[in-house]
Amino acid sequence: MSHRSETAFERVTLPRLQLWKEEGRRLVMTTAYDAVTARIADPIVDMILVGDSVGNVCLGFDNTLPVSMAMMNHHLEAVARAKPRALLVADMPFLSFHLSPEDTIRNAGGFLQRGADAVKLEGGSKRVAMIRALVECEIPVMGHLGLTPQSVNAMGGFKVQGRKADDALRLLDDAHRLQEAGCFALVLEGIPTELAARATETLTIPTIGIGAGPGCSGQVLVFHDVLGLIEGHVPRFVRTYADGFRVLQEALSRWVADVRNGTFPAPQESYRLPEGIGETIANWAPSNRTRCEA
């Protein structure tokens, strides 16, 4: 019989993440959009993000802008039903934290009521007021700087950020402003390695990189990217660990072939009548049907 440490199955908490960061343990986060992917990821990663990337990955959108609170609530509830031990973070979608502190608190609070442990929102210093409002309501906030997908139109596409001196300095300043506002961690996306490393060195909270080099406190990638479940272009910052699209397609093709050649279902995938009932069924004919009287 194998014996596992009890701590391996304890819930991941904000203090534990901070402790791991201080101990130099690399943090790992991936996405999940339903209970199945959450159960696959949960024993392995430290954090699960129900990302608004569900729009690109699962819903067929070109970007995250069409993703609504209703969509996010739907996917968050599915992931939460898996009862993950990993810290469960939910993405605040476009327009859910832009209008007023009241709307922001209501939307984020709804996430916590549906099972999230924390929320994530995009943007720098202009989001400080909203972050402070959430933190004052005991709603943990993860920030997100650099390439922020909800700003795709303003940025002119999905482009690396912070390559100019002024932009790099602004990002460092924003990172500290978000930390001071109460963020427990920051996602750094699509920025030069040196800039992400400098931000990590000067902050006390963990940084989670995606396309930001190895100098961050941890890393995040989309579940479907890691497992090669999406056909087509793969961003430079993604390392694919399986050809999941082909593996699943080939498995489905084998099933289709078995159906068409008559080898599925076989006896082991079929049910049988109790002894004696088979003869009754064999003797039945349409003429034996009981007619309903008017």
Side-chain angles (χ1 to χ4, degrees):
M1 178 184 292
S2 62
H3 296 276
R4 299 179 181 178
S5 168
E6 289 296 322
T7 58
F9 295 94
E10 292 179 5
R11 290 293 307 274
V12 177
T13 62
L14 301 184
R16 180 165 292 172
L17 286 178
Q18 184 63 35
L19 176 63
W20 285 341
K21 187 264 184 187
E22 293 168 2
E23 292 176 342
R25 181 186 190 273
R26 295 296 182 99
L27 307 176
V28 184
M29 180 165 72
T30 192
T31 59
Y33 312 113
D34 56 37
V36 172
T37 51
R39 291 187 181 111
I40 292 170
D42 183 49
I44 304 167
V45 302
D46 305 313
M47 294 169 280
I48 290 175
L49 173 67
V50 184
D52 60 354
S53 52
V54 67
N56 312 64
V57 175
C58 299
L59 302 180
F61 298 132
D62 293 330
N63 54 54
T64 63
L65 296 179
V67 176
S68 66
M69 278 298 300
M71 294 172 187
M72 289 300 303
N73 285 334
H74 173 82
H75 289 277
L76 169 61
E77 288 170 358
V79 172
R81 290 185 195 109
K83 297 180 172 56
R85 49 155 285 288
L87 190 83
L88 183 54
V89 183
D91 247 337
M92 299 286 287
F94 184 60
L95 291 183
S96 68
F97 58 97
H98 301 72
L99 302 180
S100 71
E102 291 77 15
D103 283 338
T104 302
I105 293 166
R106 185 179 302 109
N107 289 327
F111 279 166
L112 266 62
Q113 290 174 325
R114 289 171 171 83
D117 299 307
V119 303
K120 181 174 77 65
L121 58 80
E122 298 180 9
S125 57
K126 55 189 173 183
R127 306 297 179 216
V128 164
M130 300 302 184
I131 293 169
R132 284 181 174 154
L134 293 175
V135 172
E136 287 175 4
C137 290
E138 311 297 335
I139 299 174
V141 181
M142 176 182 285
H144 186 157
L145 295 173
L147 196 171
T148 47
Q150 292 175 16
S151 305
V152 60
N153 292 331
M155 291 179 174
F158 297 105
K159 301 177 180 179
V160 174
Q161 302 296 305
R163 279 182 161 158
K164 296 180 180 179
D166 287 349
D167 294 336
L169 293 173
R170 186 179 305 109
L171 186 141
L172 290 172
D173 184 67
D174 281 349
H176 281 265
R177 287 177 182 270
L178 295 191
Q179 177 177 265
E180 291 162 5
C183 286
F184 71 88
L186 292 182
V187 169
L188 301 177
E189 179 172 357
I191 63 174
T193 296
E194 301 88 342
L195 178 56
R198 185 58 181 158
T200 303
E201 290 168 2
T202 60
L203 292 166
T204 59
I205 60 175
T207 60
I208 311 298
I210 175 168
C216 297
S217 310
Q219 298 290 324
V220 57
L221 281 179
V222 168
F223 179 96
H224 295 62
D225 285 339
V226 175
L227 299 183
L229 296 173
I230 301 175
E231 192 177 34
H233 171 72
V234 176
R236 175 177 175 173
F237 56 79
V238 170
R239 183 182 296 178
T240 300
Y241 287 81
D243 190 0
F245 188 92
R246 298 298 173 205
V247 168
L248 295 179
Q249 197 170 60
E250 288 171 6
L252 192 63
S253 295
R254 292 199 300 273
W255 171 67
V256 169
D258 286 350
V259 170
R260 289 177 177 159
N261 65 29
T263 60
F264 178 87
Q268 63 267 29
E269 291 109 13
S270 304
Y271 302 100
R272 301 298 301 271
L273 283 168
E275 188 175 350
I277 298 180
E279 185 177 348
T280 301
I281 298 299
N283 292 331
W284 181 89
S287 59
N288 297 336
R289 287 183 300 170
T290 301
R291 289 184 170 83
C292 295
E293 295 182 2

